[in-house]
Amino acid sequence: MDFRFSEEQTMTADVVRELLNDVCQPADLRRLMGDGAARDEERWAKIVEMGLAGALVAEGKGGLGLSAIDFVQIAEACGYAGLPEPLVENAGVALPLLAAFSENARVAALLERALAGEVTVTVAHPANPFVADGDTAEAVLVVRDGAMHLVETAKATLVAQASVDPFRRLFTVEFEPSDATLVAGADEAGVPLAAALDRGALFAAAQMQGIAQRCVDLGVAYAKERQQFGKPIGSYQAVKHHLATAQVKIEFARPVLHAAAAQLEQGDLYSRARISQAKLACTDAADVAARTSIQVHGAMGYSWEVDVHFFLKRGIALTNWWGGTAFHRERVAARVFARPLGPEHTFAREA
Amino acid sequence: MDLDYTDEQQAFRQEVRSWLEKHVPGKPLPSFDASREGFEAHRAWERVLAEGRWGMVTWPESYGGRGLDLIQWLIFEEEYYRAGAPLRVNQNGIFLLGPTLMEYGTDEQKARFLTSMASGDEIWAQAWSEPQAGSDLASVRATAVLEGDEYVLKGHKIWSSRAVFADWAFGLFRTDPASQRHKGLSLIFFPLNASGVRVQAIPQIDGETGFAEIFLDDVRVPAFNRLGGEGEGWNICMATAGFERGLMLRSPARFQVAARKLVELYKAHEAEVEPTVKAAVLQSWMDAEAYALSIYATASRLAAGGHIGAEASTNKIFWSEMDIAMHKAALSILGARAELLRSAPEAGDIGRWLDGYFFSLAGPIYAGSNEIQRNIIAERMLGLPRA
Ligand SMILES: Cc1cc2nc3c(=O)[nH]c(=O)nc-3n(C[C@H](O)[C@H](O)[C@H](O)COP(=O)(O)OP(=O)(O)OC[C@H]3O[C@@H](n4cnc5c(N)ncnc54)[C@H](O)[C@@H]3O)c2cc1C
C-alpha cells in the first residue's frame, strides 16, 4: 500500500505542465479565440512531439503502454491550462478505444497515423449527446444499435453545435452505416465502450480538478493585488474563508481522483463507483472554485476581461460530459446499496 | 501507486481482528464522561489493550508499542471501529501528547511517562485553553515560575476534556511572566491530584460532564515536568496541534463505520423518506471514503519521511463538517423519532444519532475552530496576506 506517485509519473506530468505553462496561458487562449481557430497548430505540434498520443495504447500495438495513473496528472495539467487541443480526448479516450479494434485493417491503418500524431480521432459515445473536435479529427468512432462504426469525418455530415466554451467544437454526426463503416458488432463493442466511458469520466474529472485549482489560484493572485479600504482584499477574512473553502474541496477531491485512476483497470463495480465519485467530487470542487473566484474578483469577475470565465465555461461543459451528476450518483448507489461497506472495503475489488 | 495491501498488512489485519473478537466487551461500556464508574471501566479496557500490546501500535516496543508504521496504524484503527470497541479514554495522551513526547522528550521523560500512558495507568487531559485564551491561545496568562528545581503553577484553565477523572494534565504556561504572546511559554505536566489543583466539572450541551475548569493555586511540580526547553512551549504545542488536526484525533474508520450505519438506517426507512435524503446518504459515504483515501495518502507520505503541513487544517474542516452532515442525514431519516432520548422506550438505537449529532456540533469548535483553520489555510497554504 503506497499512495504516492512514482518519480517517473511526476516527472512526466511536470514536463507537460511546464510546456503548457509556456504555450498555453490565457493570453494565448485569447489570441486563438480572436483568430476563431479551434487549435493552435504550433502548440499542438509541440504536444504531439512529446509522443503522448499513444500514451494509453498498449506497447504491442505501438503505444507507450501507460496506465491511467500515469496519465491522470497530465489530464489535470490540461484542465489547469484550459488546453483547447484534444490531448485528453484523443490520447486518453479515443485511441485506446480505437486500439481495441485493431484487428480490423482500416482501424490498424488509422491507428498507426494517429499514434504518430499525424491525425486525431474522436468518439461519438452514447454517454455524450455530441462529438467533440469533429472538425479537426480525421475520423469518428460512432455507435449504431450497439455496433461500432468508424467513419471518416469527410464522409459524415457534421452539424456544428455552438458551445458556451469558445474552445469546444461540438457536432452532431450523421452517416450511412454500412459494412464498410462497421468495425465491430454489439457483442464486441460493449466492453471497450464501457472502458471508454470510464476513461472519459476519469479524465474529465482530472481536468475538473485542474480547473478548480486554476480558479483558486486566479482568485488568490487577484486577492493579493486588489486593494480596498487601503488593504489587499485577501487580508479580509471573508475573502480568505471563501478561498479556503474552495481549497478544502480540492484537497479532498484529489485523493479520490488518484485512487480512481489507480483502480481503473479493475473494471468492476468498485472501480466504477470510485471513478463516479471522482467525477462528482472534482465537479463539485470546480463549481465551488469557479464561483468563488468570480466572487473574489467582484465585477471584474463578471467581465470578459478576467480569465476566470474560460475555466468556468470549461467546467460547465465537463460537468455533463462523460456522464452527469445523476448518472454518476447512480453508479455510486449501485456499489453502496449492493456491496459490503466499511473501512476494510475501501480498496476492495470484485473477487 | 499501489493500492493493494501487502500480505503482511493483510495478516496484520487478521491478527488485530481475531484479537479484538476475543477481547472487545460484549456490552457497550458506560460513558467515560458521565461517571467515575464509566471512566474506570474504560481504563480497565485500556489495560486489556495494553496487555495485548495494542495500546499504541506505532510506538516503539520499549514503550509498550509494536513499532508499526502509519499504514498499519490505520488498519488497526479500521479493525478497532469495525469491532465496535470502546472509545479511547486516553486519546489525549496516546494521540496528542505521546507523539509530541516522542519527538521532544528526554529519554528519562519518555521512560517516565510513555509506558504508563500506553498502559492506561495514567490518563491525560489537555490544559491549554483559558477563559480569555481560546482561539487566541497565545494570550494564555497562567504562569509557571521556577523556584529552585520546581515550577510553581498559578492560573485558570478551562474546557479541559476528561479532566474530571483524569490523572495528569499537560498545560501551556507562561514561564517568563514579562513575556508577550507566543514567546516565554512552556509546556508543563502536572498531576490533577496535586495539592493546589481544583477541578470543577462543566456540564455539556447534552448534560454530561465531559470537560472541566482547572484552578491552579501555587501548584508545585518538578522542573523535570517541562517538555522541551523553557520558552519553547508554543512551537511544541503547535506540533501537537498539527498531529491532532492532521491525523491522530480522527482516524477515518470512525466515519466509515458511521456511514455504513447511516446506509443501514436509510435502507430500513427508505419507503418513508424524501428522495433528497438518498443523495445526502450517498454523499456521506463518499465523504467518509474521500477522507480515508486522503489519510492514506498522507500516511504514505509521512511513512516516506514527509511532514504534516497545512493539510492538517483542511482535514479538520473536512471531518468536522462531514460529521455534522452525516448526523443531520440520520436525523432526517428518523423524522419525528429523532428527538427521542436514549431512555425513551421507543428509542431503540435512535438516541445514539442524537448524541452523535450534539457531539458533531462541537467538531468545528474544538482542536482549533474551523474559522481559525480557514485562516491558516488562506495564509499558509494560499499565501494570502495577514490582516
Ligand atoms: C467539546 C470540547 C472539548 C474541548 N476540549 C479541550 C481540551 O481538552 N483542552 C483544551 O485546552 N481546550 C479544549 N476545548 C476548548 C477549545 O480548544 C476552544 O473552545 C477553541 O479553541 C475555541 O476557543 P473559545 O471556545 O474560547 O472560542 P472563541 O475563541 O471565543 O471563539 C468564539 C467564536 O469566534 C470565532 N473566532 C475567534 N477568533 C477568531 C478570528 N481571529 N477569526 C475568526 N473567527 C474567530 C471562533 O471561530 C468561534 O466561532 C474544548 C472545546 C470543546 C467544545
Side-chain angles (χ1 to χ4, degrees):
Chain A
M1 168 71 59
D2 186 356
F3 218 111
R4 290 170 309 143
F5 285 97
S6 71
E7 251 168 64
E8 207 177 336
Q9 287 163 341
T10 304
M11 248 166 50
T12 316
D14 283 346
V15 172
V16 174
R17 226 174 267 134
E18 275 163 37
L19 172 70
L20 295 182
N21 190 44
D22 285 346
V23 300
C24 192
Q25 286 298 330
D28 301 304
L29 298 182
R30 285 176 190 275
R31 194 162 11 85
L32 193 64
M33 196 168 53
D35 297 346
R39 263 189 203 179
D40 180 326
E41 292 303 340
E42 239 177 84
R43 179 169 56 220
W44 184 239
K46 285 190 181 143
I47 291 170
V48 166
E49 262 170 43
M50 299 182 76
L52 288 174
L56 295 173
V57 173
E59 277 176 293
K61 294 184 178 180
L64 298 180
L66 302 184
S67 54
I69 192 69
D70 301 311
F71 194 73
V72 68
Q73 294 188 97
I74 296 171
E76 278 179 73
C78 294
Y80 189 87
L83 182 72
E85 292 81 27
L87 172 58
V88 174
E89 293 280 322
N90 184 64
V93 190
L95 298 201
L97 179 60
L98 191 65
F101 307 109
S102 60
E103 318 257 284
N104 177 303
R106 273 178 68 229
V107 167
L110 179 65
L111 182 63
E112 204 179 314
R113 293 171 64 209
L115 289 175
E118 290 165 27
V119 296
T120 60
V121 177
T122 185
V123 181
H125 195 282
N128 296 322
F130 309 111
V131 50
D133 306 299
D135 53 347
T136 50
E138 174 79 2
V140 51
L141 285 161
V142 201
V143 183
R144 276 289 177 284
D145 304 322
M148 180 62 79
H149 295 261
L150 179 65
V151 189
E152 284 160 50
T153 43
K155 291 186 184 154
T157 312
L158 295 178
V159 179
Q161 309 289 336
S163 162
V164 65
D165 179 340
F167 304 111
R168 287 207 8 127
R169 293 294 196 274
L170 299 179
F171 300 88
T172 46
V173 187
E174 289 301 330
F175 75 106
E176 276 305 321
S178 68
D179 285 349
T181 60
L182 185 70
V183 162
D187 297 354
E188 290 166 67
V191 172
L193 272 171
L197 170 60
D198 280 347
R199 278 197 210 96
L202 175 73
F203 296 137
Q207 291 179 79
M208 287 298 229
Q209 177 75 2
I211 287 169
Q213 190 64 62
R214 185 58 173 272
C215 288
V216 168
D217 288 357
L218 287 169
V220 166
Y222 187 75
K224 283 186 191 170
E225 186 184 290
R226 169 77 170 166
Q227 305 238 341
Q228 286 294 286
F229 305 99
K231 285 195 245 171
I233 56 168
S235 65
Y236 296 111
Q237 202 166 49
V239 171
K240 280 183 180 161
H241 285 196
H242 276 316
L243 290 164
T245 298
Q247 191 64 38
V248 172
K249 290 267 182 206
I250 293 171
E251 294 301 317
F252 284 89
R254 190 184 300 122
V256 179
L257 174 67
H258 294 166
Q263 293 174 315
L264 176 122
E265 312 283 339
Q266 280 174 221
D268 58 17
L269 189 65
Y270 293 99
S271 64
R272 282 196 293 277
R274 191 66 85 213
I275 289 166
S276 288
Q277 182 185 355
K279 179 91 193 315
L280 292 167
C282 295
T283 297
D284 187 33
D287 171 52
V288 170
R291 288 189 288 111
T292 297
S293 196
I294 288 171
Q295 180 70 16
V296 167
H297 280 84
M300 284 299 287
Y302 194 69
S303 79
W304 191 253
E305 194 179 320
V306 155
D307 299 323
V308 186
H309 71 93
F310 291 127
F311 300 95
L312 171 84
K313 289 169 184 172
R314 184 67 50 83
I316 290 172
L318 292 181
T319 296
N320 291 295
W321 198 246
W322 297 111
T325 310
F327 173 82
H328 286 295
R329 206 178 269 145
E330 274 316 307
R331 293 212 321 175
V332 172
R335 183 254 176 277
V336 169
F337 296 136
R339 290 290 188 279
L341 306 177
E344 75 275 30
H345 302 290
T346 306
F347 300 102
R349 53 175 77 216
E350 223 86 79
Chain B
M1 194 155 316
D2 174 6
L3 303 189
D4 288 323
Y5 295 107
T6 61
D7 290 345
E8 195 191 350
Q9 287 164 343
Q10 298 281 27
F12 175 68
R13 184 187 291 284
Q14 286 313 320
E15 188 189 350
V16 179
R17 186 174 295 182
S18 55
W19 188 87
L20 287 169
E21 270 166 11
K22 281 192 213 96
H23 292 88
V24 169
K27 270 196 319 192
L29 304 181
S31 160
F32 53 59
D33 284 334
S35 68
R36 166 68 71 182
E37 185 202 357
F39 193 87
E40 292 306 328
H42 279 79
R43 189 201 295 276
W45 165 246
E46 295 286 346
R47 291 200 170 116
V48 173
L49 277 172
E51 276 157 25
R53 279 198 310 122
W54 299 110
M56 196 51 191
V57 295
T58 54
W59 290 8
E61 298 193 13
S62 48
Y63 303 124
R66 290 172 177 250
L68 303 181
D69 66 19
L70 287 172
I71 301 285
Q72 288 164 309
W73 172 70
L74 283 170
I75 294 170
F76 173 78
E77 289 280 297
E78 289 174 2
E79 290 302 316
Y80 194 87
Y81 281 99
R82 181 181 180 273
L87 287 177
R88 302 297 296 267
V89 68
N90 68 346
Q91 52 181 286
N92 277 319
I94 54 172
F95 295 154
L96 306 185
L97 183 57
T100 321
L101 245 168
M102 213 75 78
E103 197 170 331
Y104 295 95
T106 63
D107 287 345
E108 292 75 23
Q109 285 176 318
K110 290 183 204 172
R112 164 64 190 85
F113 294 114
L114 285 174
T115 313
S116 57
M117 194 184 285
S119 68
D121 288 339
E122 289 174 342
I123 297 192
W124 287 77
Q126 181 194 43
W128 291 8
S129 305
E130 294 180 11
Q132 303 306 321
S135 300
D136 185 12
L137 191 61
S139 67
V140 292
R141 291 183 193 161
T143 55
V145 176
L146 201 56
E147 281 183 14
D149 54 3
E150 283 185 335
Y151 280 109
V152 180
L153 314 180
K154 265 199 231 293
H156 180 186
K157 295 288 179 180
I158 197 166
W159 316 126
S160 187
S161 295
R162 285 173 286 292
V164 184
F165 305 119
D167 308 291
W168 279 81
F170 52 105
L172 190 58
F173 292 91
R174 214 162 269 293
T175 33
D176 174 2
S179 64
Q180 298 278 325
R181 310 286 309 155
H182 314 83
K183 302 205 177 81
L185 295 170
S186 301
L187 193 65
I188 295 176
F189 305 161
F190 58 95
L192 284 161
N193 64 1
S195 108
V197 176
R198 187 163 64 84
V199 178
Q200 175 80 46
I202 308 174
Q204 293 183 331
I205 204 167
D206 59 1
E208 285 195 7
T209 312
F211 45 32
E213 287 180 275
I214 305 174
F215 299 92
L216 298 150
D217 190 9
D218 287 335
V219 177
R220 290 181 168 268
V221 298
F224 177 77
N225 288 12
R226 188 191 67 226
L227 181 58
E230 201 176 83
E232 286 172 14
W234 180 260
N235 289 336
I236 297 174
C237 285
M238 289 308 106
T240 309
F243 238 75
E244 177 176 19
R245 283 168 212 144
L247 208 60
M248 291 292 184
L249 180 64
R250 291 290 173 260
S251 69
R254 176 190 185 114
F255 304 106
Q256 293 182 290
V257 168
R260 189 185 67 211
K261 290 186 176 153
L262 180 64
V263 170
E264 284 161 10
L265 186 71
Y266 172 79
K267 281 179 167 172
H269 297 275
E270 198 174 345
E272 312 143 43
V273 301
E274 54 170 328
T276 52
V277 175
K278 179 178 167 188
V281 169
L282 291 173
Q283 192 61 50
S284 288
W285 179 81
M286 287 192 278
D287 286 346
E289 289 280 303
Y291 184 62
L293 294 169
S294 168
I295 296 292
Y296 267 97
T298 302
S300 294
R301 208 168 49 67
L302 294 180
H307 281 279
I308 281 253
E311 78 254 38
S313 296
T314 65
N315 287 358
K316 205 260 148 165
I317 290 173
F318 193 81
W319 63 248
S320 58
E321 294 184 349
M322 157 172 72
D323 201 24
I324 294 178
M326 263 183 199
H327 284 91
K328 278 184 64 109
L331 295 191
S332 65
I333 294 169
L334 291 169
R337 289 165 303 226
E339 68 172 300
L340 293 184
L341 287 179
R342 241 188 246 215
S343 55
E346 286 292 311
D349 223 20
I350 289 172
R352 294 194 176 279
W353 289 109
L354 186 60
D355 289 347
Y357 177 63
F358 278 134
F359 188 60
S360 75
L361 296 180
I365 300 169
Y366 64 79
S369 79
N370 285 11
E371 285 75 21
I372 299 298
Q373 302 317 309
R374 285 189 160 86
N375 291 348
I376 293 174
I377 293 166
E379 286 164 16
R380 296 196 210 146
M381 215 167 160
L382 302 179
L384 289 168
R386 298 181 65 93

